[in-house]
Amino acid sequence: MPAKQSNRQFSLILLSIELLLVSLSLFDSVLAWILLIVACSAVIRAAIYFNFHKHLPTIRTLNLLAVLSALGLVYSGLSLDLLLVMVNLLVLACALKLMQVRSQKDIYQLIISLYFLIGCGFIFNQSIVYSVFYSVMSLTLLLSLACHHGPNIPLIIHIKTVTKLSLQAFPIGLLLFLVLPQLPPLWQTPKSKTMETGLSEQITPGDIANLSQSSELAFRASFNGKAPNYVDRYWRTIVMEEFDGKSWRIHKQRKPLEQIHKQTEFIPKLSGTAINYEVMVEPTYQNWLFALDIAQASGSSQLKIKQADTFQLISKQKLVSQFQYQVNSYPQAMAQQTFSPLDKKLNLSLPETTNPRTRKWIQQLRADYPNNQNFIQAVLKHFTDNPFVYTLRPDLMYSDPVDQFLFDKQAGFCSHYASALAVSLRLGGIPSRVVAGYQGGELSTSKGNTTYLSVYQYDAHAWVEIWQQQTGWLRIDPTALVSPDRINFGLRQAMLEEGSFLADSPFALVRMSDIAWLNSFRLFLADMDYNWSRMILGFNNQDQQNLFKSILGKLTPDRLSLLGLGITVIISLLLTLFYIPHWLNVRTDKTQKYYQQAIQLFDKTQSPRQNWQGPQAFAAHIKQHYPPAVTNELNQLTQIYIRLKYQNIALSNSPQLSQKQCHKMMRKALGKLKAELTKLT
C-alpha cells in the first residue's frame, strides 16, 4: 500500500477507535445491538488497514443494513425517550458512515457526526474524568483530520500542530465560556434509573439496604458557617404516606395538591436561626431535592424550586445533569406547622386485613396506655427490650412483613424499623408517616477553606414523623434505638461487626479508608471533583452576573455593550497574535518566496496562474504556451518547491540535497527564468 494511502487509512483507524470508545462511554444509553454494529464497523476498517480484507461492503449491502437498522430502532425506540432515540440514531449513523467512507466528503461528514456524538456524551457524563476523556477525543478528531490532509507529514508533526492550535484556542474558549449565556437544556429528559441514581417513589423494606451497597456520590452541601452535627444531618427527600401492607409510597391524594401548588406556592411557617448552605446534586433523573428541615430555597434558586406541603423541595426540571441550589433551613420550625384534616386522614390510613399480630399487640398496648406519650414510649420500648439487630442482610419477609419483623425475624435495615414503627403508631391512632432521604455525610475542607459535606448513596436512610398537638410534627428514628452508631458515626461504623459495609463493592476506596495513603488519595479525588463541580459545572447565570458586576460595577445596557465589544476586541487581538507568527514565517520562507516570485513573473503575461491551478498544473499550462528555455526553468523550480513543501524526505528516492542547496538552485532557476522572459518581451 502506498505511504500516502496508508496514512489516510491510519486516519480512518483513528476515527474507528474514536467511535468505538465514545459509544462505549454511552454504554447505558446506547442499545446493545447498535454497539455491536459499531464494533463490526471498526473491525472492517481494521481488517482493511492490516490487509486482512480488501473490500468495503457494497452500497447495496449498506442500504439493506440501514433499512433493517432503522426498523429495529423504530421498534426499540417505542420504549425510549426522544433524546435517547436521537443518540442511538447518531451512533448508528456514524457506524454505517464508517463502513461507507470512500471520499473526502464522507470523512468530513463522519468527523462532524462524531463531534455531535461527543457533545451528546457531555449530556450524560460531566465528571472531570469524562470531561478529560471527551477533550482527548476531540483532539484525536483534529489529529485524524490532519493525518487525512497531510498523509506525507510525520505523525509527530501533526500532534505538535494540533496541540499548538488547541492551546491557542483555549483562552478564546475560556472567554466564550464565561460570557456566553448559560442556556437550560433544550431536550426532553430521559426516564429515571432509580436503583442506580438514588431513592424511588416507593420503598419496600430492603430497597434502601440495596442502595446502601453503592458508594456513588448523591450530593454535596457547602455551608456558609459551621456544618450541623452528625446526628442532626437528616436530609429530607421523599415523604411517604400510603402503606399497602408491604410498601410505602407517596400518597396518590397528594398529586392533585401538587397541581394546585404550581399556581399558589406553599409557604411553611419559618422561625428560629437559619442554616445557610448550597447543595450540588448529582443527576437523578427525578425532581426531588435534598435539604435539612425545614428548607426554603433562596436567591435565584427560588425560580427553579417549589415547596411541597410535606416540606420537601422539588425541582421544576428533572435532574438530568448536576444541579446547584441555595437553601435556608430552619430546624426549629417543624413544631409550628399546621395539621390539616387531609393530613390526619392520610397519616392514619392502613389496609384492614394485613399484619394481624401487630393489630392485636397494639390493641392490647393501647388499652394499657391510653395516654399518647406513654403509648409511644411503650412501642419504642419493644425495640429496646427485644434482641433487634441492625443488618444489611435481613431475611426476606413476603407476607405480613411488619408481623414477621416485629415478632419473628427482629433483624432489618432502617426501612424495616421505620415501616414497623409507623404502622404500629397508626394502629394506635397516632398520625405517622415514613420519610426517605439520607442521614450523615462526610465532612471535608477544600483547599479554599470551604467546608462541605459529601453524602453518598450508602447514607440513604428512612425515619418516622409523627404528629401530636403538643409537639407538632416530630421526628422519631427507631434505628437510633437499635444501632446508635449508625446515627452518630455512619453506616461504616455500624456495620463493622457484620462486615457488610459495601460488601458488593470490594474495590470502593471508602472501604479502604483505614489505609492512610489510599484515604488521602480518595479525599484528594473528592476535593478535585468538588472544585470541578462548583467552579465549572456549577457556573450558572447568577455566577455570570456576579462576574459581570465585579467587572462593570453595575449592569446597564451600555456597560454590557462595552463588555461585549471588549470581549470581541480581545478575541480579535488573540487571533491576530496567533496569526502574526504564521504570516512572518510565510514572508521569511525562502521556498515560498522564490516560488511566488516565479509565479508573479507571469502575472502580466497572457498566462497568469489561476486560483484553481496547483504547482504542477500551472507548470503544465506554461509548457503549452512557452518555449523550452522558459518551461525547463519553471519546471525545475516547481519540482524543488514540491519536494521541499510536500514530499516526505525520508521516503524520497531522489538524491539528498540540503535545504540550502535547494534554495540556491531555486534562486539560480529564478534568475534564468527572468532572463528568458525578458528576451520574449
Side-chain angles (χ1 to χ4, degrees), residues 308-585:
D309 56 353
T310 47
F311 318 125
Q312 61 197 79
L313 297 182
I314 299 175
S315 169
K316 294 180 180 177
Q317 297 286 337
K318 287 189 176 180
L319 307 183
V320 71
S321 59
Q322 279 196 336
F323 182 64
Q324 190 170 346
Y325 54 97
Q326 293 78 38
V327 183
N328 292 330
S329 285
Y330 301 83
Q332 295 86 15
M334 279 296 288
Q336 302 171 10
Q337 306 309 311
T338 57
F339 188 66
S340 67
L342 178 63
D343 291 330
K344 184 175 181 179
K345 175 185 174 186
L346 299 186
N347 291 285
L348 285 175
S349 63
L350 283 172
E352 296 181 355
T353 58
T354 58
N355 302 296
R357 285 192 288 169
T358 303
R359 290 176 177 277
K360 186 176 180 181
W361 171 59
I362 290 296
Q363 188 177 13
Q364 180 61 46
L365 210 59
R366 202 48 166 147
D368 296 339
Y369 300 97
N371 177 273
N372 284 347
Q373 195 60 35
N374 294 337
F375 168 72
I376 294 170
Q377 292 303 320
V379 174
L380 295 177
K381 195 170 182 292
H382 180 76
F383 292 104
T384 55
D385 288 352
N386 291 282
F388 280 91
V389 176
Y390 184 74
T391 177
L392 296 181
R393 299 164 179 168
D395 294 335
L396 295 177
M397 293 167 249
Y398 295 107
S399 61
D400 297 324
V402 175
D403 280 358
Q404 289 191 54
F405 174 70
L406 284 176
F407 306 110
D408 300 330
K409 307 294 184 183
Q410 298 190 335
F413 195 59
C414 59
S415 51
H416 291 91
Y417 291 95
S419 175
L421 178 62
V423 170
S424 300
L425 294 181
R426 282 191 181 187
L427 286 172
I430 307 294
S432 311
R433 61 193 184 190
V434 171
V435 181
Y438 296 85
Q439 195 275 330
E442 185 177 42
L443 194 61
S444 306
T445 303
S446 70
K447 290 183 178 178
N449 290 325
T450 302
T451 300
Y452 65 93
L453 271 174
S454 299
V455 180
Y456 299 92
Q457 296 295 353
Y458 59 74
D459 292 315
H461 192 55
W463 58 93
V464 176
E465 282 182 352
I466 67 169
W467 169 266
Q468 287 187 286
Q469 188 65 39
Q470 303 82 1
T471 61
W473 282 111
L474 179 67
R475 179 175 61 231
I476 297 180
D477 190 349
T479 303
L481 302 173
V482 179
S483 177
D485 285 350
R486 168 63 185 91
I487 307 305
N488 295 325
F489 305 106
L491 186 66
R492 176 186 170 83
Q493 186 69 23
M495 294 293 106
L496 273 182
E497 185 176 345
E498 186 178 79
S500 58
F501 177 66
L502 294 178
D504 295 342
S505 306
F507 299 108
L509 288 178
V510 69
R511 289 194 79 219
M512 309 172 192
S513 55
D514 292 338
I515 304 174
W517 69 272
L518 271 180
N519 194 45
S520 299
F521 179 65
R522 180 181 68 87
L523 294 176
F524 168 76
L525 293 180
D527 192 47
M528 194 164 60
D529 186 60
Y530 167 75
N531 286 307
W532 170 262
S533 300
R534 188 173 187 184
M535 299 174 68
I536 304 298
L537 301 181
F539 187 77
N540 53 26
N541 287 331
Q542 186 61 44
D543 295 326
Q544 195 175 51
Q545 287 186 13
N546 293 337
L547 176 66
F548 290 165
K549 285 179 181 176
S550 65
I551 298 173
L552 303 174
K554 191 176 181 181
L555 298 183
T556 63
D558 292 342
R559 292 187 181 188
L560 287 173
S561 300
L562 284 175
L563 178 64
L565 182 61
I567 296 295
T568 305
V569 170
I570 291 174
I571 292 176
S572 301
L573 288 175
L574 285 173
L575 291 174
T576 304
L577 187 65
F578 299 153
Y579 184 74
I580 284 178
H582 174 70
W583 180 72
L584 290 176
N585 284 337

Side-chain angles (χ1 to χ4, degrees), residues 275-319:
I275 302 174
N276 311 113
Y277 55 101
E278 184 178 75
V279 182
M280 288 181 293
V281 184
E282 295 297 302
T284 62
Y285 302 91
Q286 300 288 356
N287 299 83
W288 313 309
L289 299 176
F290 314 108
L292 303 169
D293 288 331
I294 286 177
Q296 187 177 51
S298 62
S300 60
S301 301
Q302 297 179 31
L303 302 175
K304 309 171 190 173
I305 296 173
K306 61 181 180 179
Q307 175 82 255
D309 56 353
T310 47
F311 318 125
Q312 61 197 79
L313 297 182
I314 299 175
S315 169
K316 294 180 180 177
Q317 297 286 337
K318 287 189 176 180
L319 307 183

Side-chain angles (χ1 to χ4, degrees), residues 173-186:
L174 181 61
L175 272 176
L176 294 176
F177 170 75
L178 294 174
V179 301
L180 286 180
Q182 305 290 315
L183 298 176
L186 303 176

Side-chain angles (χ1 to χ4, degrees), residues 54 103 145 150 152 184 187 214 234 246 248 289 300 332 382 437 531 562 655:
K54 299 291 185 184
S103 65
L145 188 61
N152 294 323
W187 46 82
S214 170
Y234 281 85
K246 292 183 179 179
W248 288 84
L289 299 176
S300 60
Q332 295 86 15
H382 180 76
N531 286 307
L562 284 175

